[in-house]
Amino acid sequence: MADSLSDNAALARASQDLYAAVRRDAPLVQCLTNFVSMNFAANVLLAMGASPAMVHATDEAPEFAQIAGAVVINIGTLSAPWLESMLLTADAARQAGIPWVLDPVAHHATAFRRDAVRRLLALRPAIIRGNASEIIALAGGQSTGKGVDARDAVAQAEQSARAIAAAHQTVVAVTGETDYVTDGQRAVRITGGSALMPRVTATGCALTALVGAFAAVSKGDPYTAAVAALSCFGIAGQRAGALADGPGSFAWRFLDGLAALETDSLTRESPLR
């Protein structure tokens, strides 16, 4: 666990550098995501300064992946044609050396989803972002999740996250009240956010898209990319939650909060623990 102040301070500075790179470079993020999240995920990427592309058709998605900065695959509204496109696109990104991020939404709910995630994991995602129930189930444990909802605490998923990261040589980000990021050796917890976040649809999916934006500029450091994205989300969410009257006002305040993050926000308000 990266629990020393010096380690976390260095990680916060590295995260801040990636934040500046996203603002400067406006990375192109290809999102094969679900119908529910497309609009909000695109707006989150735009608020951060990245460039979203919701390109998912089998006829063009694998080719498009070769010009993207990162690819994000979210199985929320999975279908057989989308799965074919996801597999081809993930493979194209892998062969081109482009990082891709997996969001295994409710992968434990049906046999179709379980098989889809098994096949996608074989294509080596750089980062996996999920809630605690999804991560516990992905490691072969028994979760209490129901559908897309997390019924388990993040702390209960930490061992599962480390096991997945080590087995698949990937970074795992578990999100909830206090987030947890690990690459199997290093780990850090991230605070912040708001209790209103789960009451705004597609918030988690949008976070996965933002992880993709940071992965695009991370130059082979997916661990710091995940930490930076979750830190931005946590800071903006905490600011928005302090002012919001409910989930409706939270949603627009959150987008404004992402857009208003200052250059030194990730060090001055570091949520790393």
Side-chain angles (χ1 to χ4, degrees):
M1 173 63 63
D3 55 4
S4 74
L5 291 177
S6 59
D7 287 345
N8 284 353
L11 186 55
R13 288 193 298 271
S15 297
Q16 182 170 293
D17 290 342
L18 291 186
Y19 163 78
V22 170
R23 293 288 201 196
R24 180 189 68 239
D25 299 342
L28 178 62
V29 184
Q30 181 183 2
C31 299
L32 286 78
T33 190
N34 63 75
F35 291 117
V36 178
S37 73
M38 284 187 184
N39 181 266
F40 193 61
N43 282 334
V44 162
L45 287 170
L46 289 169
M48 185 54 64
S51 177
M54 279 33 191
V55 178
H56 64 266
T58 306
D59 294 335
E60 64 171 347
E63 180 182 358
F64 193 91
Q66 298 175 57
I67 64 170
V71 171
V72 174
I73 292 179
N74 175 307
I75 68 166
T77 51
L78 193 62
S79 67
W82 272 39
L83 176 56
E84 179 185 4
S85 183
M86 289 173 177
L87 292 167
L88 291 171
T89 304
D91 190 46
R94 180 183 61 85
Q95 292 189 47
I98 293 166
W100 73 275
V101 182
L102 174 62
D103 191 332
V105 180
H107 68 90
H108 49 298
T110 67
F112 178 50
R113 289 175 178 273
R114 289 191 293 272
D115 181 65
V117 167
R118 178 187 61 80
R119 296 168 70 185
L120 286 164
L121 282 174
L123 295 173
R124 306 288 294 270
I127 304 168
I128 300 169
R129 202 293 308 172
N131 64 41
S133 297
E134 290 162 346
I135 297 304
I136 290 170
L138 196 61
Q142 292 294 318
S143 80
T144 59
K146 184 178 180 181
V148 300
D149 296 326
R151 301 289 182 89
D152 301 284
V154 171
Q156 295 175 287
E158 291 184 1
Q159 183 176 353
S160 296
R162 292 193 298 271
I164 294 167
H168 295 280
Q169 297 183 320
T170 188
V171 170
V172 179
V174 192
T175 54
E177 186 174 348
T178 296
D179 303 331
Y180 179 79
V181 179
T182 182
D183 62 1
Q185 296 182 335
R186 299 171 292 174
V188 68
R189 297 185 181 95
I190 303 170
T191 60
S194 166
L196 290 170
M197 281 178 153
R199 298 175 63 189
V200 177
T201 190
T203 302
C205 300
L207 173 54
T208 306
L210 191 62
V211 169
F214 280 85
V217 299
S218 69
K219 298 180 180 177
D221 186 4
Y223 177 74
T224 304
V227 171
L230 270 59
S231 296
C232 288
F233 232 69
I235 294 168
Q238 189 167 33
R239 291 180 181 181
L243 299 172
D245 296 318
S249 59
F250 175 84
W252 67 260
R253 288 185 185 278
F254 176 63
L255 290 175
D256 284 355
L258 285 173
L261 286 174
E262 300 87 359
T263 303
D264 63 347
S265 295
L266 274 71
T267 51
R268 180 167 43 84
E269 301 177 57
S270 176
L272 306 184
R273 300 293 181 266

